[in-house]
């Protein structure tokens, strides 16, 4: 019984007739893709947040200068328009 089972497994193994496909590569490939997507989206999100924070920082300084009376309303609106038109 055992010998016939071994013969059956040996006859229809993964290397029989060139049907071998490296399934063992799927798990590492999956994790490489997951980690790659995580890094891609994290860097993209960080860049977006960095630019947003820089723009908000400039607008915050402009609001403070307007609140202290250093600039008038027309200058405030002009500078705010320039800041929002040129996001870098």
């Amino acid at each position: 019984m055992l010998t016939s089972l071994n013969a059956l497994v040996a006859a229809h193994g993964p290397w029989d007739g060139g049907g071998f496909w490296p399934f063992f590569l799927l798990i590492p490939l999956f994790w490489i893709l997951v980690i790659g997507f995580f890094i891609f989206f994290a860097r993209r999100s960080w860049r977006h947040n960095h630019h947003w924070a820089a723009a908000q920082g400039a607008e915050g300084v402009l609001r403070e200068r307007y609140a202290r009376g250093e600039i008038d309303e027309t200058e405030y609106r002009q500078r705010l328009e320039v800041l929002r038109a040129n996001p870098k």
Side-chain angles (χ1 to χ4, degrees):
M1 170 86 176
L2 188 58
T3 56
S4 63
L5 184 60
N6 284 339
L8 182 66
V9 170
H12 299 289
W15 294 277
D16 183 36
F20 174 71
W21 196 85
F23 289 106
F24 64 90
L25 294 177
L26 286 179
I27 292 175
L29 181 63
F30 170 77
W31 284 112
I32 289 169
L33 289 174
V34 167
I35 292 168
F37 281 124
F38 176 75
I39 291 171
F40 172 75
F41 285 115
R43 290 183 71 197
R44 183 176 175 194
S45 175
W46 181 83
R47 285 185 192 142
H48 176 73
N49 289 339
H50 180 70
H51 293 303
W52 180 81
Q56 292 300 315
E59 288 181 16
V61 170
L62 190 59
R63 280 192 296 270
E64 289 176 14
R65 289 188 64 198
Y66 177 65
R68 286 192 299 250
E70 294 177 12
I71 57 175
D72 61 347
E73 183 179 356
T74 57
E75 187 176 359
Y76 170 76
R77 293 197 184 276
Q78 288 172 350
R79 291 180 185 226
L80 187 61
E81 184 178 323
V82 168
L83 286 174
R84 290 183 176 168
N86 298 324
K88 292 183 180 181

